[in-house]
Amino acid sequence: MDNALIRLNHSPAQTVITTHINADFDALASLLAAQKLYPEARVVFPGAQEKNLRNFFISTMVYLFNMADIHSIDLDQVRRLVLVDTRHIGRIGKLAALVGKPDVEVHIYDHHPASDNDIRGSVEVCEPTGANVTILIEAIRARGVAISPDEATIMCLGLYEDTGSFTYASTTDRDFLAAAFLLSKGANLNVVSDLIARELNPDQVALLNDMIQAAVRSNVNGVEVVMTSIALETYVPDFAFLVQKMAKMENLDVIFALALMESKVYIVARSRIDEVDVAAILSRMGGGGHPYAAAATVKGQTLTQTENQLLEILLDRIKARRLARHLMSSPAISVEPEISCERANHLLTRYNINALLVVEKTDDHAELRGYITRQVIEKALFHKLGAVSVRTYMNTEVASVGPDADLAEIQKKIIENKQRILPVMADGHIAGVITRTDLLNVLVGQGLPEAGTSTDPLRESFSPRRRNVTRFMHERLPPRLLDLLRTVGEVAATLGCGAYVVGGFVRDLFLYRGDEDIDIVIEGDGIAFAKKYARISGARIHTHDKFGTAVIIFPDGYKLDVASARMEYYKFPAALPVVEMSSIKLDLYRRDFTINTLAIQLNPDRFGLLIDFFNAQKDIKEKSIRVLHNLSFVEDPTRVFRAIRFEQRFGFAISRLTNGLIQNAVGMDFFRELSGRRMFNELQLILQEDNPAAAVARLNDFGLLKMVHPALSCDKQVAALLNAVRQVVAWHDLLFLDESYMKWAVYFLALIHRCARSQTQEICRRLELTPRQEALCVTGRAKALESLHWLVRHLPVDNSTLHHRLAGLRTELILFMMAATEHEKVKKAISLYFTNLRRVSISLRGEDLKRLGVSPGPIFREVFQAVFNAKLNGRVESYEDELAFARAHLHARECGLNA
């Protein structure tokens, strides 16, 4: 490579160095390194979206770059194009016009894998390093080109970013050697660390939360893939950074994030498993990158079209995990040979399976004897042979496979032996089982409902209770909402669809509670309706094709949730629902409680018609929380939390049957399979209620706090602390401060108040709290309690000491401390800090000290702190007072030094 560089004849103003659109720090570092090799060249960004990078170097390192705007370049005068960190013609914007011109040399320095559409160059240095800048650093080192500490720092920044601080699997020994070279040239790792590990700002946190909430997990050929889609009005330059954050926070193996920004759809993908090569996948959409990190930009398509295209590519390109160890269910459900057919039938029903392995247990081993199917059991029961042992009718000729058996072997064993269930054996033990349904799911690429499921209770024919409530709606709703609902019905009618407003909005209408969150259900294609409605009303939409849902966002920010009428079924307790298209009746049947099943039709010919399939009006009148069917908590245990939340919010009572079903769900430990995040979401909603204390007490009564962690309880002391938090929160809210805080976190701190640090960490991890939330509950709480104990021992203290002790504590911790203390003097001191002292600042500046003859240095901080303390303690008030105090402090300090 160096010999090629030596032959270069640099021509002023005729060489352009560029990189890919949406350049990252590695691209920026490569631009600088290439400029060292081509000193007369002009550095040009190919696009207009490198905002974050431009802000970075324009404010700090602009002097290092021989930069030119792309619009100022006369392409006819360019004789050499130098490409760094890319060789894809679709990623260099306007400069692509130079490629293929006979009078333009192309020099390429790239570390991405080769693809069919790569640009060819007269000089090509394309090697598989972790960071692209490594290739150029090696050239700089070989040629003995001098670099400054600032230049070394920028190159180091790119090196650290593209290797994940040397943690990515793509990192090579050459990257480490390049870093060592840069450090020897004075690279500043403090600057690198500050830029690589930057904190999220509030807008980024909100966007990251939207991405997490929109995430959909799909099983593609046996591999879990997470896809999230968002729509934004403006371009966000840090989108890839947020995707990386999300992948790390959520511990995701594969993520594809799509963002509609300024009429283009940007895709950022990350993978940490060999089965998913995101570069190969996104190359089909005009993108590129590495197997573990790639990106693409799609023009001329909607977000929905892009999602569909990506899904098709995923199904085609993802290499399936098709070994027995990946397909099997474990542990295997088995019975002993002497168990009765009647008892075996109960087990088949309980676990909703169609076959049981039969094993004979010895002292230290379980020997496989055969299997028995549901069909055989049902025939035995029909002939009144329920008391006969399964040994009599089991199939003793059973084939098996090992954990590393491939799909072909599995398919052959199941089909040739006509087995409904295939044991997976490892070292003589049953490691798991594969069913015929498991095999079919892999072969057809989608889940199929299990055979033998119970009859749908909704097949019964019954008439709903109906009445027109148009006049009531006019009395209760503002004209704006009424007009909106009428328009919804009119648009749905033009599409031949039924439209209904459902759920909490209708419930609260009859409870005389204000609720402007509207849920619309469309009997038909909800997304098609949303698109037409948005087009007519001048709104924008965000769609979710998998669930047939959309959010219509009006120009003033108001949102309307739209869903296609759907039915959900659950493959196992605590699972997320599988969704199928349905009617309004089946859509309402999937809901949690009868009080949430009311619907009002909106079509013009039936506007205002209230539909009550499940006697919801009666339950609202009787103030009763009732489930729709007895397996409701089996399908979704989080409904237990919602039952308690609604009970306490509305002053209702959980019905006797529903109460028993909750106890059964707790007793059968259905919450064990519930993800921590889903459990935390429900607990968070409870803690955000006006009075969470009563709901937490109910959680304790049902034993649900123990489901989170054995250390959690709600006795009289905890209940008293929760009530104290409510008083403090009410005091805080009456201050009408223009700042946000997490109310739920104050109650959560009270709930875990008596838990040890190790127990608190276990609770946070069980609930899958974010690292920042965990830090608040563990280290933040410890610091708050330490400060609280200090105040009890040392009060009274002057204001400056009080400020120093409490400064840096989050609002949630301050409020928790006020609630937790029993000492009135401590509560008053904390109140003084929160309402007054924490807002104190001084007007004195460095220029003032310079005019007093003080040279910049540590003495500046000393004087500022002294003046700040004096202001806190009431010794100075105005700017003149501060200046006089600083002068006196300096005089006293000088006298002390002279003495």
Side-chain angles (χ1 to χ4, degrees):
M1 177 183 71
D2 193 43
N3 291 333
L5 290 173
I6 292 172
R7 293 195 302 269
L8 299 180
N9 177 25
H10 299 292
S11 302
Q14 291 187 333
T15 297
V16 169
I17 305 172
T18 194
T19 184
H20 53 80
I21 293 172
N22 303 326
D24 53 14
F25 284 132
D26 187 31
L28 176 67
S30 298
L31 288 173
L32 178 60
Q35 184 181 278
K36 301 299 292 184
L37 298 173
Y38 299 81
E40 302 302 325
R42 306 297 297 276
V43 173
V44 177
F45 278 115
Q49 306 292 4
E50 292 80 5
K51 181 179 178 182
N52 60 332
L53 293 177
R54 288 183 172 180
N55 287 346
F56 161 66
F57 73 78
I58 285 175
S59 62
T60 58
M61 305 287 188
V62 64
Y63 69 92
L64 298 176
F65 290 83
N66 185 18
M67 184 62 60
D69 187 271
I70 189 170
H71 301 294
S72 68
I73 299 294
D74 183 353
L75 298 185
D76 292 334
Q77 298 301 315
V78 176
R79 293 295 176 264
R80 182 182 296 116
L81 176 65
V82 181
L83 299 179
V84 295
D85 201 26
T86 187
R87 44 183 155 158
H88 196 292
I89 196 166
R91 302 196 71 195
I92 60 173
K94 178 181 176 182
L95 296 174
L98 296 172
V99 177
K101 294 181 68 173
D103 58 343
V104 177
E105 295 180 20
V106 178
H107 296 190
I108 301 172
Y109 302 87
D110 188 26
H111 71 141
H112 293 94
S115 65
D116 295 337
N117 298 322
D118 285 346
I119 299 169
R120 305 303 301 179
S122 55
V123 174
E124 292 187 6
V125 186
C126 302
E127 298 170 357
T129 53
N132 190 74
V133 73
T134 295
I135 298 171
L136 293 148
I137 291 169
E138 291 175 345
I140 288 172
R141 187 175 187 181
R143 298 190 64 196
V145 176
I147 60 174
S148 69
D150 285 345
E151 291 170 333
T153 299
I154 290 185
M155 294 181 200
C156 209
L157 177 61
L159 186 60
Y160 269 73
E161 182 197 50
D162 238 35
T163 62
S165 297
F166 304 101
T167 62
Y168 292 161
S170 59
T171 305
T172 67
D173 57 342
R174 295 166 63 182
D175 298 300
F176 282 98
L177 292 172
F181 171 72
L182 295 176
L183 288 175
S184 73
K185 296 300 179 181
N188 188 333
L189 291 185
N190 289 328
V191 173
V192 173
S193 177
D194 288 343
L195 286 165
I196 292 294
R198 61 191 187 274
E199 293 292 328
L200 296 176
N201 61 43
D203 290 339
Q204 290 173 326
V205 171
L207 181 54
L208 181 59
N209 181 64
D210 290 343
M211 291 164 59
I212 293 172
Q213 295 300 320
V216 177
R217 296 173 183 263
S218 304
N219 188 293
V220 181
N221 292 335
V223 177
E224 184 180 76
V225 175
V226 173
M227 187 180 297
T228 184
S229 301
I230 55 173
L232 303 169
E233 294 181 353
T234 58
Y235 179 81
V236 177
D238 292 319
F239 185 53
F241 168 67
L242 295 177
V243 176
Q244 188 70 35
K245 278 280 188 184
M246 179 175 171
K248 187 174 182 180
M249 288 171 56
E250 301 292 302
N251 193 29
L252 304 178
D253 285 335
V254 182
I255 178 172
F256 287 84
L258 294 80
L260 175 61
M261 299 186 281
E262 298 180 345
S263 76
K264 299 177 185 177
V265 179
Y266 295 86
I267 309 174
V268 175
R270 296 290 184 267
S271 171
R272 60 184 188 187
I273 58 176
D274 294 336
E275 288 83 0
V276 181
D277 182 340
V278 292
I281 290 168
L282 291 189
S283 68
R284 296 266 295 270
M285 304 182 76
H290 303 278
Y292 61 88
T297 302
V298 179
K299 302 177 183 178
Q301 288 190 184
T302 65
L303 196 57
T304 300
Q305 289 172 323
T306 307
E307 288 174 344
N308 292 336
Q309 181 185 359
L310 178 57
L311 283 171
E312 290 178 4
I313 297 171
L314 291 176
L315 289 169
D316 180 55
R317 293 302 298 264
I318 286 183
K319 307 168 186 174
R321 292 174 171 171
R322 298 181 179 230
L323 299 182
R325 66 173 73 252
H326 300 133
L327 301 180
M328 72 182 187
S329 300
S330 180
I333 299 171
S334 61
V335 296
E336 295 189 23
E338 304 309 322
I339 193 174
S340 69
C341 290
E342 185 174 5
R343 176 60 180 157
N345 186 58
H346 289 320
L347 292 174
L348 291 169
T349 302
R350 175 187 294 179
Y351 295 109
N352 193 27
I353 56 178
N354 295 304
L356 288 166
L357 295 182
V358 181
V359 299
E360 196 157 19
K361 297 180 180 178
T362 59
D363 293 337
D364 59 350
H365 191 63
E367 191 73 27
L368 178 64
R369 297 302 185 196
Y371 69 94
I372 193 164
T373 65
R374 179 186 293 273
Q375 288 88 341
V376 172
I377 291 291
E378 288 177 346
K379 287 182 180 180
L381 296 179
F382 177 79
H383 293 292
K384 303 190 184 306
L385 299 173
V388 177
S389 69
V390 297
R391 180 192 296 275
T392 306
Y393 301 113
M394 70 180 183
N395 189 326
T396 57
E397 296 178 355
V398 53
S400 63
V401 294
D404 294 321
D406 61 17
L407 185 62
E409 182 181 354
I410 294 168
Q411 183 176 346
K412 181 179 180 181
K413 291 283 182 72
I414 288 179
I415 294 176
E416 288 188 355
N417 295 284
K418 298 181 180 179
Q419 282 185 212
R420 183 173 288 275
I421 187 170
L422 181 67
V424 180
M425 308 296 294
D427 299 325
H429 293 83
I430 302 172
V433 294
I434 300 171
T435 67
R436 286 198 306 195
T437 302
D438 295 331
L439 176 61
L440 283 171
N441 287 344
V442 173
L443 294 177
V444 303
Q446 61 182 8
L448 299 174
E450 289 281 341
T453 53
S454 59
T455 302
D456 189 339
L458 285 182
R459 289 178 183 169
E460 298 176 10
S461 176
F462 62 93
S463 299
R465 296 156 187 82
R466 302 175 186 265
R467 65 186 176 102
N468 196 290
V469 293
T470 304
R471 180 176 297 179
F472 182 68
M473 293 171 67
H474 278 276
E475 294 172 356
R476 294 281 297 117
L477 299 178
R480 170 176 168 272
L481 283 185
L482 271 174
D483 290 342
L484 186 151
L485 294 175
R486 287 189 185 277
T487 307
V488 166
E490 289 165 2
V491 173
T494 64
L495 295 172
C497 299
Y500 306 83
V501 59
V502 301
F505 178 85
V506 184
R507 176 201 66 212
D508 289 351
L509 189 67
F510 289 92
L511 287 173
Y512 291 86
R513 297 171 64 94
D515 185 356
E516 291 195 356
D517 293 330
I518 297 180
D519 293 320
I520 301 295
V521 169
I522 301 295
E523 278 188 318
D525 190 340
I527 292 179
F529 161 82
K531 290 178 178 178
K532 183 170 184 178
Y533 187 91
R535 194 163 55 248
I536 292 173
S537 60
R540 56 190 178 90
I541 64 170
H542 175 71
T543 61
H544 197 318
D545 285 356
K546 178 179 178 181
F547 291 102
T549 61
V551 178
I552 301 174
I553 306 168
F554 292 87
D556 62 356
Y558 183 78
K559 297 180 180 179
L560 186 68
D561 292 316
V562 177
S564 306
R566 63 191 196 264
M567 179 185 69
E568 299 174 346
Y569 66 89
Y570 297 76
K571 289 186 175 180
F572 53 89
L576 290 172
V578 177
V579 177
E580 294 179 343
M581 298 297 291
S582 182
S583 65
I584 185 64
K585 181 167 68 175
L586 291 174
D587 182 273
L588 296 173
Y589 184 74
R590 71 181 176 81
R591 298 176 185 268
D592 45 17
F593 308 107
T594 57
I595 62 171
N596 294 327
T597 61
L598 290 173
I600 297 176
Q601 192 157 3
L602 303 177
N603 295 66
D605 57 339
R606 295 190 177 186
F607 184 84
L609 185 66
L610 177 69
I611 301 173
D612 181 4
F613 284 103
F614 307 106
N615 223 4
Q617 296 171 85
K618 178 175 180 290
D619 286 336
I620 289 175
K621 183 178 180 179
E622 294 177 356
K623 298 185 175 183
S624 179
I625 303 293
R626 191 187 313 275
V627 293
L628 276 76
H629 59 88
N630 292 2
L631 294 177
S632 183
F633 298 130
V634 177
E635 293 178 345
D636 185 3
T638 62
R639 289 172 176 166
V640 174
F641 292 88
R642 295 202 287 278
I644 293 170
R645 175 156 54 91
F646 291 144
E647 178 190 55
Q648 299 305 313
R649 178 195 292 177
F650 302 134
F652 284 18
I654 296 175
S655 72
R656 181 180 299 178
L657 173 62
T658 304
N659 191 303
L661 294 173
I662 293 176
Q663 294 177 355
N664 179 67
V666 174
M668 295 193 68
D669 201 15
F670 292 144
F671 297 86
R672 177 181 56 195
E673 299 297 331
L674 193 62
S675 74
R677 181 165 296 279
R678 292 186 69 201
M679 189 180 292
F680 172 68
N681 286 343
E682 295 298 332
L683 184 59
Q684 187 179 27
L685 289 172
I686 286 176
L687 297 180
Q688 288 175 171
E689 291 287 314
D690 290 337
N691 182 20
V696 172
R698 287 289 275 162
L699 291 174
N700 188 68
D701 292 341
F702 282 113
L704 289 166
L705 293 179
K706 300 295 182 185
M707 296 291 100
V708 178
H709 193 278
L712 286 182
S713 65
C714 185
D715 56 18
K716 291 183 179 179
Q717 289 181 328
V718 175
L721 181 55
L722 290 170
N723 285 320
V725 168
R726 187 186 185 197
Q727 295 175 4
V728 171
V729 165
W731 167 82
H732 171 274
D733 292 347
L734 286 174
L735 296 175
F736 297 104
L737 301 175
D738 188 20
E739 57 185 38
S740 61
Y741 75 107
M742 299 182 294
K743 184 173 79 170
W744 67 266
V746 189
Y747 284 102
F748 189 76
L749 289 166
L751 185 59
I752 63 173
H753 179 44
R754 294 189 303 185
C755 296
R757 183 185 181 95
S758 60
Q759 293 172 328
T760 302
Q761 290 174 323
E762 292 170 359
I763 292 169
C764 291
R765 287 162 191 170
R766 169 65 182 100
L767 295 176
E768 299 179 26
L769 267 63
T770 65
R772 181 167 291 186
Q773 291 168 339
E774 183 174 343
L776 174 70
C777 297
V778 180
T779 56
R781 184 186 67 147
K783 185 177 179 181
L785 291 176
E786 179 187 350
S787 298
L788 197 59
H789 296 151
W790 188 93
L791 291 174
V792 171
R793 295 194 306 270
H794 293 90
L795 284 179
V797 295
D798 58 29
N799 289 349
S800 60
T801 303
L802 178 63
H803 185 280
H804 176 74
R805 195 73 206 181
L806 299 180
L809 291 177
R810 290 175 58 105
T811 297
E812 296 84 356
L813 295 170
I814 293 292
L815 298 180
F816 166 67
M817 291 168 65
M818 291 184 68
T821 184
E822 298 176 353
H823 301 274
E824 194 64 26
K825 63 178 183 178
V826 175
K827 191 169 294 188
K828 288 181 178 179
I830 298 173
S831 174
L832 173 64
Y833 165 77
F834 189 78
T835 58
N836 187 359
L837 300 183
R838 73 187 180 115
R839 303 183 186 280
V840 171
S841 62
I842 61 174
S843 302
L844 196 69
R845 295 293 180 264
E847 291 301 320
D848 299 316
L849 297 186
K850 288 180 182 179
R851 284 193 289 269
L852 294 177
V854 181
S855 299
I859 191 173
F860 270 41
R861 175 175 290 186
E862 175 188 328
V863 175
F864 286 144
Q865 188 63 54
V867 173
F868 183 65
N869 290 343
K871 191 160 189 178
L872 286 169
N873 294 329
R875 297 174 61 187
V876 300
E877 293 182 2
S878 65
Y879 166 73
E880 290 74 18
D881 292 341
E882 294 175 11
L883 197 60
F885 185 92
R887 188 179 289 111
H889 179 85
L890 290 168
H891 179 72
R893 187 178 186 276
E894 184 179 351
C895 292
L897 290 175
N898 292 335

